[in-house]
Amino acid sequence: MLEEYNWAGNLRYSPEEITQPASIDEVRETVAAAAAVRTLGTRHSFNGIADTPGVLVNLEKLGGPMVLDADARTVTVNAGTRYGEVAGFLVEHGFALHNMASLPHISVGGAVATATHGSGTGNLAQAVAALELVTADGGLLRVDRSSPDFSGMVVPLGALGVVTRITLDIEPAYEVRQDVFTDLPWAAVEEHFDTITTAAYSVSIFGNLTGAAASQVWLKSRMDREQPYAGRQDFFGAAASDVPRNPVPGMSPVNCTGQLGVPGSWSDRLSHFRLGFMPSNGDELQSEYLVDRASAVEALRALRAMSGRIAPLLLVAEIRTVAADDLWLSTSYGRDTVAFHFTWKPRQDAVEALLPELEAALAPSRARPHWGKLFTLEHAQLLQLYPRLGDFQQLARRLDPERKFVNPFLARKVLPAGLLAG
C-alpha cells in the first residue's frame, strides 16, 4: 500500500498504483488497462472523492503547452495545471479569467470537477467552453457547448473519464482593489444582506458566527466598474482596516493577497491567498454548504442559533454568493446561491459528529454540500437536491458501463450500483 495523503493530512489514499503520465497516449494506455481508476489533482479534497483501490492518475506532469486563442477569447490548459500558473500565463498576454480559486494552488481539473466556486460571481466551472477526456475504453472524447449533454459533463466528479484538457473562457485583463473592514454587525448582515453581498465584484464575510459582529468583510472591487464603497472608512457599521489581515484568527497576513485598497492585477487580488506561500492554515478540515439565495438570511439565523456548538470546532467561517448555472451537478445548478464555508480545526471525529446537526439546520434552505469537502448527506438526500442527478446517472452508465471510475465515495453518494444495473 502506498503512503499518499491529501493536502490536509486527514485522508490516506488507498491505490495499488499512482501514475504520472507525460502524454495523452500514456493516459489512454493506463485507463484502458486498469480495472479501477481515478484522477488525482492537487489533493485539496477532504473526503474520499478522488480515492480508488486501483490506479490513481496524477496529471501534474502531463505534457502540452497552454494554448491561447485571442480571437475566440479562450485558453486551453492541461487539467492538472494550477490556477496560479494559468493566471501567470494570461497576465503575460493581457487576458484574465472571470474568477479565481481562493487558493491558486489548486488544479483546474479538480476545481471544475467539483464545482468549486472561487472568489465570487459564477463558479469556476462556468468558464468551461470545452473539455477533452479519456473514456473507460481508452478512447479520446472532446466535447464543447454545442455537444449533447455538455452541461452534464462539465462537473463530472471524475465519474465519466479522465479529463485531460480544458478550454476556459477569458476576457481582457483588469485590475482589482481589495478593501477589508472589521467588526461588521450581524444585525446589519441580516438587514442589508443583498446590498452587502453585492457591494463589490466579490464579497466575503468572515467570522465564527458568535457574538454581535462578523470579524471581517473583504471587498474585491474591479477597477473597470463602479465601486461605490471603494475608499470608504466605514461599511454598514464596520471600520476600514489600516493593516493587512488574514481571515483566520492568529494567522499572519503575509500569505494573503494585497489589501488596503491598493489596485493590482486580477491575478493578485481575486484569490485570498498568494501562490508563493502555504495556502490558508494547512492544519485544518473543511465543509461547505450552498443554499438558495432567497433563504440565505434564514440559514444564517439557523447557524447562529447553534453557533455555541460550531465555534469550538471552528477556525473561521466564510459567507459568499455564487451565481446560478445550468451544470447538472453544480452546487449552483438552477439557482443563485449563498455559500457557507467552514474551516474546521483538525478534529475530524468531533466535526463529523456535528455535521448531521448542521445539515439538519440547513435542510429547509435545501443546502447542497461541496463535493470535495466533509459532509454526511447520502444518495437519497442528494437525489432530492439535484434535479438532474438521474440524468447524470444515465450519462455515467453510457460512458462507463463497467463502473471503472466509480469508487466507494461515488457508489454511496452518487452512483449506487442498483441504479446502473441492467
Side-chain angles (χ1 to χ4, degrees):
M1 190 74 66
L2 298 172
E3 291 282 345
E4 288 286 339
Y5 291 84
N6 65 341
W7 173 78
N10 72 301
L11 175 71
R12 177 179 172 179
Y13 295 110
S14 55
E16 291 181 349
E17 180 184 359
I18 297 179
T19 66
Q20 287 190 314
S23 68
I24 301 296
D25 285 343
E26 288 183 24
V27 178
R28 297 177 67 179
E29 293 170 5
T30 297
V31 172
V37 62
R38 296 288 291 169
T39 309
L40 186 65
T42 41
R43 297 176 171 85
H44 203 260
S45 294
F46 295 81
N47 58 39
I49 191 170
D51 199 12
T52 179
V55 178
L56 273 177
V57 178
N58 184 329
L59 299 179
E60 288 182 331
K61 295 184 178 180
L62 187 64
M66 294 188 231
V67 177
L68 178 74
D69 187 332
D71 293 332
R73 292 206 173 172
T74 62
V75 64
T76 301
V77 304
N78 287 334
T81 308
R82 298 170 188 254
Y83 269 95
E85 297 166 345
V86 179
F89 174 80
L90 290 178
V91 166
E92 290 180 3
H93 293 85
F95 286 97
L97 298 170
H98 83 290
N99 198 351
M100 272 284 282
S102 295
L103 302 177
H105 314 69
I106 67 176
S107 68
V108 174
V112 166
T114 55
T116 295
H117 59 79
S119 58
T121 68
N123 70 31
L124 298 170
Q126 290 184 39
V128 176
L131 55 84
E132 179 183 272
L133 70 158
V134 175
T135 55
D137 61 358
L140 195 62
L141 177 64
R142 188 185 187 279
V143 295
D144 59 30
R145 290 190 175 114
S146 68
S147 305
D149 299 327
F150 180 73
S151 293
M153 300 178 73
V154 175
V155 181
L157 312 184
L160 306 180
V162 175
V163 174
T164 52
R165 298 276 285 173
I166 299 177
T167 299
L168 302 172
D169 294 330
I170 58 176
E171 59 185 272
Y174 53 88
E175 288 196 328
V176 174
R177 63 174 288 163
Q178 186 162 234
D179 296 273
V180 175
F181 297 84
T182 60
D183 299 322
L184 176 66
W186 287 117
V189 176
E190 293 184 11
E191 182 178 356
H192 305 287
F193 187 83
D194 285 337
T195 304
I196 287 173
T197 55
T198 58
Y201 187 66
S202 170
V203 178
S204 292
I205 301 169
F206 295 99
N208 67 1
L209 302 174
T210 63
S215 59
Q216 299 176 37
V217 56
W218 290 26
L219 273 60
K220 301 174 190 279
S221 303
R222 285 183 60 154
M223 301 298 290
D224 59 345
R225 301 184 181 184
E226 186 178 356
Q227 309 158 77
Y229 294 97
R232 291 274 297 269
Q233 293 303 302
D234 64 281
F235 182 75
F236 293 90
S241 177
D242 58 1
V243 295
R245 295 183 181 268
N246 190 308
V248 181
M251 295 295 294
S252 169
V254 69
N255 63 346
C256 296
T257 49
Q259 302 167 31
L260 305 179
V262 178
S265 170
W266 64 276
S267 62
D268 297 324
R269 295 292 185 272
L270 286 184
S271 295
H272 290 340
F273 300 96
R274 298 164 62 188
L275 181 62
F277 289 79
M278 176 69 180
S280 189
N281 181 55
D283 193 11
E284 64 189 42
L285 303 171
Q286 293 182 13
S287 299
E288 184 171 53
Y289 298 89
L290 291 93
V291 307
D292 190 324
R293 181 169 183 141
S295 61
V297 172
E298 174 189 357
L300 174 60
R301 288 170 177 160
L303 292 171
R304 294 252 298 140
M306 60 179 293
S307 62
R309 293 183 292 287
I310 294 175
L313 298 175
L314 197 62
L315 289 171
V316 71
E318 180 181 9
I319 303 171
R320 289 188 282 189
T321 60
V322 187
D325 60 60
D326 65 350
L327 308 175
W328 296 359
L329 293 191
S330 166
T331 43
S332 295
Y333 174 82
R335 69 186 194 187
D336 291 330
T337 59
V338 173
F340 291 90
H341 182 276
F342 303 88
T343 300
W344 305 107
K345 296 175 183 177
R347 297 173 55 188
Q348 187 153 349
D349 289 346
V351 168
E352 291 185 336
L354 176 68
L355 289 182
E357 182 182 354
L358 191 154
E359 291 167 355
L362 293 177
S365 301
R366 298 183 59 77
R368 296 169 178 164
H370 186 293
W371 293 108
K373 304 183 190 295
L374 296 178
F375 66 94
T376 67
L377 298 177
E378 295 293 343
H379 175 259
Q381 296 159 302
L382 295 169
L383 194 62
Q384 300 301 311
L385 296 172
Y386 288 91
R388 303 299 299 271
L389 181 52
D391 295 324
F392 182 81
Q393 291 165 347
Q394 295 307 312
L395 179 60
R397 177 182 179 179
R398 188 167 74 246
L399 290 179
D400 183 23
E402 301 301 321
R403 296 170 62 83
K404 180 175 291 192
F405 301 110
V406 179
N407 64 357
F409 177 93
L410 291 181
R412 289 197 326 273
K413 308 284 188 181
V414 183
L415 300 169
L419 294 176
L420 299 185

